[in-house]
Amino acid sequence: MTDPRANMEGNNLLGLGAPNLDWSKSPGRVPGFWVSVVSVVLAVVLPFPALFVALIGLSLSLRAFSVIPAGATGRGLVLVSLALSGAAILAVVVRLVLVFV
């Protein structure tokens, strides 16, 4: 068989590698971050609404966290939003404990 497409020698296709995937369009990545930032701000002023907003931000961030592979570009924003949501939930819990003590 003399099919020219079967000739892998010298065509440089093997050196190209896999395409770089764009993870910036992952569902919940950017909205999860902004909702997490809002929840941290609300945790200082209004604890109960902040808890609900933080849970929404946490769910959006977890959705994006499950889609983006480790080491991919864009995973850092998801990790920051997870940390912000966790900090807001922790702040609300600490504030409620201090109120009842």
Side-chain angles (χ1 to χ4, degrees):
M1 178 181 275
T2 59
D3 188 6
R5 294 174 294 175
N7 185 11
M8 295 297 286
E9 186 178 323
N11 66 3
N12 201 22
L13 289 177
L14 296 176
L16 292 176
N20 293 329
L21 297 174
D22 183 23
W23 296 103
S24 64
K25 304 284 192 258
S26 298
R29 180 179 166 263
V30 176
F33 173 74
W34 286 114
V35 170
S36 299
V37 169
V38 168
S39 70
V40 170
V41 172
L42 281 177
V44 176
V45 182
L46 304 167
F48 289 116
L51 185 62
F52 294 117
V53 173
L55 290 175
I56 292 170
L58 187 66
S59 68
L60 288 171
S61 300
L62 283 175
R63 183 189 311 171
F65 185 76
S66 67
V67 171
I68 301 174
T73 305
R75 180 120 176 186
L77 187 66
V78 173
L79 294 175
V80 169
S81 63
L82 286 172
L84 287 173
S85 293
I89 292 171
L90 185 66
V92 168
V93 168
V94 166
R95 188 170 175 181
L96 290 176
V97 166
L98 290 177
V99 165
F100 291 124
V101 170

